[in-house]
Amino acid sequence: MQSAASAARSRPVIGVLALQGAFRAHVRALAELGVATREVRTPAHLEGLDALVMPGGESTTMSRLLTSSGLFDEIKARVHDGMPVFGTCAGMILLAGEVLDGRPDQRSFGMLDATVRRNGYGRQVDSFETDLDVVGLDTPFHGVFIRAPRVEAVGPHVEVLARVAGDPVLVRQDRIMAASFHPELTADTRLHEQFVALVRREQDQEQ
Ligand code: GLN
């Protein structure tokens, strides 16, 4: 049997949505921080999870697979009940309240009070890298943007943690963090660390 101490050490368990996209890099970043992870492909995989990461990839494909796997409604209910979630790139699109230039049948969870435009940086600069000044970090964070969504508006309860040319690229709303770039594709784990700290704070409050 697991001792109470080792059970406490194995938490939190953070799920990484693994239907499609760059999920392995998130698993690696979290593992580097010593956090237990689980790849999420079915509703059963959500059992006992403390938080969820939604990776970059293709939001239209993920939307379709979320519905066919039965995960869409289950995740929506869990996040509604307070489960922290971190969405990056396509993951941010999935969280947004309003998606512009999406496919007509594309679904989003609507939990982040933001309007995002898919592929909103246009063709010429559809992929770019730039150093970001992030609230709470002493030195810049290197942002990798790949056909990134552009955040065109955020609601009053959304805290903007970083911007590019005035547009929010990293935001937080309660227990939701979202980045229009890919923090999992650099060796810098500071944003994952911030998310894990948020998850631990939630756990402490529950006890
Ligand atoms: N353009 C993609 C989409 O719609 C997102 C790109 C990414 O996640 N790197 O969904």
Side-chain angles (χ1 to χ4, degrees):
M1 218 178 73
Q2 228 182 9
S3 70
S6 70
R9 262 203 305 278
S10 63
R11 288 191 70 194
V13 181
I14 299 186
V16 180
L17 187 64
L19 297 172
Q20 188 263 342
F23 58 88
R24 285 193 188 88
H26 277 294
V27 170
R28 194 170 50 235
L30 291 165
E32 245 173 68
L33 297 173
V35 174
T37 59
R38 185 190 304 155
E39 294 183 8
V40 173
R41 295 190 177 83
T42 70
H45 294 153
L46 293 171
E47 189 67 39
L49 281 189
D50 298 296
L52 184 68
V53 173
M54 296 193 200
E58 182 48 58
S59 58
T60 53
T61 308
M62 274 195 244
S63 159
R64 188 166 44 74
L65 295 173
L66 279 164
T67 302
S68 62
S69 64
L71 272 168
F72 191 92
D73 292 336
E74 295 291 329
I75 290 175
K76 189 160 186 166
R78 294 290 304 273
V79 179
H80 190 77
D81 286 347
M83 180 174 72
V85 53
F86 185 15
T88 62
C89 204
M92 174 191 247
I93 297 172
L94 289 173
L95 288 169
E98 190 178 9
V99 178
L100 305 176
D101 292 344
R103 272 179 38 166
D105 59 347
Q106 175 165 6
R107 298 171 82 193
S108 66
F109 291 106
M111 295 145 179
L112 176 68
D113 188 7
T115 301
V116 305
R117 187 177 295 280
R118 277 185 70 218
N119 306 323
Y121 286 92
R123 276 213 168 157
Q124 250 178 333
V125 287
D126 62 2
S127 297
F128 62 97
E129 300 189 12
T130 188
D131 282 341
L132 306 168
D133 287 323
V134 176
V135 173
L137 298 184
D138 298 342
T139 55
F141 192 96
H142 193 67
V144 177
F145 294 77
I146 304 172
R147 302 186 72 223
R150 190 173 208 142
V151 179
E152 298 202 348
V154 293
H157 301 296
V158 176
E159 189 186 354
V160 177
L161 302 175
R163 293 179 188 269
V164 167
D167 295 326
V169 295
L170 177 67
V171 296
R172 183 167 54 212
Q173 180 181 357
D174 299 321
R175 303 174 191 89
I176 296 175
M177 273 176 70
S180 53
F181 53 98
H182 287 267
E184 76 283 11
L185 296 185
T186 54
D188 191 339
T189 53
R190 289 179 294 169
L191 296 184
H192 288 84
E193 242 168 83
Q194 284 194 347
F195 182 61
V196 173
L198 183 158
V199 174
R200 289 196 203 279
R201 274 200 301 279
E202 286 302 312
Q203 283 186 320
D204 290 347
Q205 272 166 23
E206 274 166 26
Q207 279 160 16

